[in-house]
Amino acid sequence: MKYDNPADTLLQVFGYKHFRSPQEEIITRVIQGRDAFVIMPTGGGKSLCFQIPALHRPGVGIVVSPLISLMKDQVDALQANGVEAAFYNSSLGEAEARSVLARLHNKQLDLLYAAPERLMSEGFLERLKEIPVALFAIDEAHCVSQWGHDFRPEYVQLGRLRRLFPQVPMIALTATADKQTREDVVHRLGLDEAGIFVSGFDRPNIRYTVLEKRKPFDQLIEYLAGRPQGDAGIVYALSRRRVEEIAGKLAARGISAAAYHAGVGDKERSRVQEAFLRDELQVVVATVAFGMGIDKPNVRYVVHYDLPKNLESYYQETGRAGRDGLPSEALLLFGYGDIAIIRSFIDGMENPDQQRIESHKLQAMVSFAEAQTCRRRVLLGYFGELLEKECGNCDICLNPPERFDATEDARKALSCVYRVGQRFGMGYVIEVLRGSRNQRVLSLGHDKLSTYGIGKNLAADEWSAIFNQLIHLGYLEKDIANYSVLKLTARARPLLKGEESLFLARPRTKTAAKKVRRVTASGLKYDEGLYEALREVRRQLAKAAGVPPFVIFGDASLAEMAAFKPTDRSAFLEVSGVGAYKLEKYGEEFLAVIRKYV
Ligand code: ADP
Ligand code: ZN
């Protein structure tokens, strides 16, 4: 074929100077005709691992992908780099489908993206036997496993490929790391001979922040207000109803936002997705169970309005931020009330084994949110990866929690639990502490207690923060089986008797003022005025070509242009993401903007 050195292809076709590890190793292996199984986080750069070998090996590379909506963008992006690519799925009309098959037959395609059921139809398999096939790439390979979180029955059929085409290398790719899923993928796809490549799961460009959930909508608004205009983000919430409500309230405030969940009609869903991809919609509010179809490289922030059920989902969802490598944020609003909601889901499960696993996972999620040490360390540790030093890019690292002497408040809290007879939940105890005139308090005579009204110094949510830490530190127990009644533990004694003092972390409800810097992926400051001007040309070109803006150039490329300000063709070619084809196609338009600007 026309290419023979992968590093040249990387530079000339894709405009990138260096492989990320372990891309090169994987690519070499597949070019040699051997199988590979690639486990890499979202945004890690999986696509090149099969795209480059497909350009090197004779024949067409067949890529299986579960999401029709993503195929078109991938194909557009390849075409924008001058690669002969097409897709074959149910979204094509009859004539279009025929023309794709003709190109396939005439060996005009480098890459063909196909839906699994189309690929595995007998007619199509017959066709493939007649032409050279460079490789099979199975994207989102975890979909083949029932252990995974996204099992797709049509993926199971793919297991036949290994036997039907013994000479064709197969590469499976996923961002799901857990061992059981991994073994299942190998087994079901027949990848026993595959080289397995697991790359680090860290996403250093994402800044993790956890806030105590107080008035979540106000917190969200405040957060959005602190963000640069035009930044795109996803807000995840637990239920459809909540998604609708948040999206509606945002829209009412003039923020461009839309709801996205399984109950939204197909038409509206693709409208939302398109608009978001095209940078015409700023915020997508989605249910946690949904949103896999949102695959946009320049998502700048992901907010969890409600607590996710486990760290696996949380990490996957936050991973949708910053796929382009630019600084991005993940914000979790952590409310104790959410734990109870998830717990009731779990209690409703029929299988006790599953209950146990889910409960354990929830516990890990809560521990992450409550952690007072580097978030990234906790997260990666959960996935079995040791972080050598603290990350310097999470709320705890950037702004270590402030501690205050809570001895007096803690004593008030504990003695009030004692005075009400260790028979009430947190909400009620706080009412008594703050001297509520609530009917229940009065009728039980709790306004006569010595602890009645001694906690007026703090607001109710400040008290919840203290109670939660007391529970977490083991001074109090919450009897989950019994209306979440609070009880003292043995540890509470010395504190109550004044033999011990206690420092607690001051809860945080606002992000630290430190703004995410506007820098390139390698950390260089860039010119924001120029960046906006470049975005504008990109928007026009994208509109004219009928593709999402990132297909023309990603934000990371624009950021480099705005940092280096190249004014001639050879300097422009130095920008990451500018290959030979794009230089010819778009170079002059962008150079004109830069020249005019400098
Ligand atoms: P994944 O499929 O693993 O989520 P992608 O293949 O979409 O990730 O890659 C994520 C981003 O990183 C894309 O914008 C891609 O162009 C970019 N990228 C991939 N490999 C490199 C590289 N070697 N150098 C620079 N950018 C890269
Ligand atoms: Zn950190």
Side-chain angles (χ1 to χ4, degrees):
M1 280 203 100
K2 44 191 170 162
Y3 303 101
D4 48 37
N5 176 349
D8 289 347
T9 312
L10 180 72
L11 186 62
Q12 285 166 23
V13 178
F14 298 95
Y16 299 134
K17 291 199 186 64
H18 309 284
F19 280 112
R20 292 179 185 158
S21 83
Q23 284 175 329
E24 192 164 21
E25 218 185 316
I26 297 164
I27 288 167
T28 310
R29 184 180 175 96
V30 177
I31 292 175
Q32 288 167 354
R34 296 152 76 199
D35 293 349
F37 183 18
V38 177
I39 300 145
M40 218 185 246
T42 309
K46 287 187 281 299
S47 318
L48 290 182
C49 298
F50 55 83
Q51 289 169 347
I52 292 183
L55 295 177
H56 282 250
R57 288 179 56 84
V60 58
I62 305 286
V63 186
V64 183
S65 165
L67 293 164
I68 290 182
S69 56
L70 302 186
M71 288 189 199
K72 184 170 182 310
D73 294 330
Q74 296 239 11
V75 166
D76 284 340
L78 283 164
Q79 287 174 347
N81 280 322
V83 175
E84 294 295 335
F87 60 88
Y88 186 61
N89 61 35
S90 58
S91 76
L92 292 180
E94 214 175 302
E96 289 170 308
R98 232 177 300 125
S99 127
V100 169
L101 292 180
R103 284 169 75 200
L104 177 72
H105 223 78
N106 297 332
K107 308 187 177 80
Q108 290 165 336
L109 291 175
D110 295 318
L111 281 152
L112 178 67
Y113 284 70
E117 62 282 2
R118 286 262 163 145
L119 167 61
M120 297 315 291
S121 73
E122 292 308 321
F124 194 81
L125 291 172
E126 283 309 312
R127 281 171 191 277
L128 283 189
K129 294 220 171 99
E130 289 161 21
I131 54 165
V133 177
L135 56 86
F136 289 108
I138 317 292
D139 208 1
E140 313 288 356
H142 58 273
C143 293
V144 77
S145 165
Q146 263 157 321
W147 290 107
H149 46 82
D150 197 30
F151 174 60
R152 289 175 187 246
E154 63 277 17
Y155 256 60
V156 175
Q157 283 297 313
L158 298 171
R160 294 169 59 211
L161 284 176
R162 190 58 304 170
R163 273 167 289 151
L164 290 172
F165 298 88
Q167 308 304 330
V168 180
M170 181 185 284
I171 169 172
L173 311 100
T174 177
T176 305
D178 85 86
K179 199 161 156 274
Q180 218 148 25
T181 309
R182 211 189 281 175
E183 285 168 1
D184 218 22
V185 170
V186 167
H187 173 69
R188 287 182 177 247
L189 293 179
L191 289 173
D192 312 271
E193 307 279 299
I196 298 184
F197 300 86
V198 185
S199 48
F201 265 68
D202 191 12
R203 297 286 308 284
N205 62 316
I206 300 178
R207 177 179 296 175
Y208 292 92
T209 301
V210 180
L211 293 182
E212 276 221 14
K213 186 164 167 178
R214 292 280 166 85
K215 295 195 171 108
F217 189 73
D218 294 349
Q219 288 173 298
L220 176 63
I221 287 288
E222 192 172 342
Y223 175 72
L224 295 182
R227 305 213 47 96
Q229 277 282 315
D231 272 11
I234 305 174
V235 176
Y236 283 111
L238 215 53
S239 66
R240 289 183 195 185
R241 210 189 60 212
R242 187 109 66 150
V243 163
E244 291 290 346
E245 179 194 310
I246 300 167
K249 275 157 78 179
L250 287 174
R253 291 190 177 229
I255 295 168
S256 122
Y260 194 82
H261 54 70
V264 170
D266 279 353
K267 225 166 145 191
E268 169 66 0
R269 213 189 292 164
S270 31
R271 184 198 71 80
V272 169
Q273 202 164 313
E274 278 288 284
F276 193 52
L277 281 174
R278 285 166 198 253
D279 296 346
E280 286 156 11
L281 175 68
Q282 219 179 326
V283 186
V284 169
V285 189
T287 46
V288 284
F290 210 65
M292 188 182 169
I294 301 175
D295 200 352
K296 174 181 164 79
N298 59 339
V299 172
R300 289 277 76 85
Y301 57 90
V302 168
V303 177
H304 281 88
Y305 199 89
D306 299 315
L307 190 68
K309 293 193 183 72
N310 52 53
L311 282 171
E312 284 87 351
S313 335
Y314 173 71
Y315 201 56
Q316 197 188 28
E317 283 143 17
T318 57
R320 302 205 166 104
R323 293 181 54 153
D324 55 13
L326 295 179
S328 305
E329 291 188 294
L331 171 65
L332 167 64
L333 298 180
F334 172 53
Y336 283 85
D338 293 349
I339 303 176
I341 297 175
I342 299 175
R343 205 164 272 293
S344 67
F345 277 144
I346 297 177
D347 290 345
M349 287 178 166
E350 300 203 330
N351 179 341
D353 284 340
Q354 207 184 352
Q355 264 186 349
R356 204 169 28 80
I357 295 172
E358 294 299 323
S359 216
H360 170 79
K361 290 190 168 185
L362 173 61
Q363 194 48 52
M365 183 71 230
V366 173
S367 303
F368 165 79
E370 286 178 332
Q372 302 291 332
T373 54
C374 175
R375 306 272 179 209
R376 200 175 308 269
R377 184 170 268 175
V378 178
L379 260 179
L380 294 177
Y382 179 77
F383 295 112
E385 211 173 294
L386 185 73
L387 192 62
E388 285 298 328
K389 51 182 188 358
E390 306 207 315
C391 80
N393 194 26
C394 71
D395 55 345
I396 304 281
C397 286
L398 289 165
N399 185 18
E402 196 188 318
R403 309 209 143 246
F404 70 105
D405 185 345
T407 314
E408 215 32 59
D409 292 330
R411 255 186 229 144
K412 289 181 187 172
L414 296 177
S415 39
C416 196
V417 169
Y418 182 73
R419 293 285 164 210
V420 298
Q422 310 189 65
R423 288 192 294 114
F424 294 87
M426 185 193 303
Y428 183 82
V429 179
I430 293 175
E431 291 212 8
V432 176
L433 270 173
R434 301 192 66 244
S436 155
R437 307 293 302 160
N438 181 319
Q439 199 48 46
R440 187 152 167 242
V441 175
L442 300 181
S443 65
L444 289 166
H446 285 158
D447 55 331
K448 309 283 184 321
L449 295 176
S450 59
T451 55
Y452 179 78
I454 60 170
K456 286 186 177 152
N457 58 319
L458 297 178
D461 47 14
E462 290 171 304
W463 277 118
S464 333
I466 290 178
F467 274 101
N468 285 322
Q469 293 188 61
L470 289 172
I471 295 167
H472 187 50
L473 294 172
Y475 292 95
L476 283 176
E477 256 169 17
K478 194 150 96 176
D479 188 351
I480 306 281
N482 183 20
Y483 303 101
S484 294
V485 160
L486 293 180
K487 295 197 154 85
L488 302 179
T489 68
R491 281 202 71 176
R493 263 183 88 89
L495 189 58
L496 269 171
K497 286 169 64 187
E499 297 166 2
E500 206 180 72
S501 55
L502 179 69
F503 280 75
L504 293 180
R506 202 172 293 287
R508 282 193 287 218
T509 57
K510 285 184 180 153
T511 46
K514 278 180 202 138
K515 286 234 170 84
V516 171
R517 292 185 310 146
R518 315 242 81 189
V519 291
T520 65
S522 58
L524 292 172
K525 248 193 102 34
Y526 61 79
D527 187 316
E528 290 180 30
L530 178 54
Y531 183 79
E532 288 308 321
L534 292 167
R535 256 165 75 116
E536 182 53 30
V537 229
R538 179 178 69 173
R539 205 184 55 76
Q540 288 166 10
L541 289 170
K543 209 161 181 94
V547 295
F550 65 80
V551 164
I552 310 274
F553 283 121
D555 285 8
S557 300
L558 294 198
E560 282 203 3
M561 291 176 204
F564 301 139
K565 304 186 179 133
T567 51
D568 60 54
R569 288 166 57 92
S570 71
F572 191 72
L573 201 50
E574 289 292 305
V575 171
S576 176
V578 181
Y581 194 82
K582 284 189 179 172
L583 171 69
E584 287 315 319
K585 199 147 180 207
Y586 307 117
E588 281 313 318
E589 263 107 341
F590 285 86
L591 279 169
V593 174
I594 301 169
R595 286 190 198 116
K596 198 170 135 211
Y597 193 88
V598 295

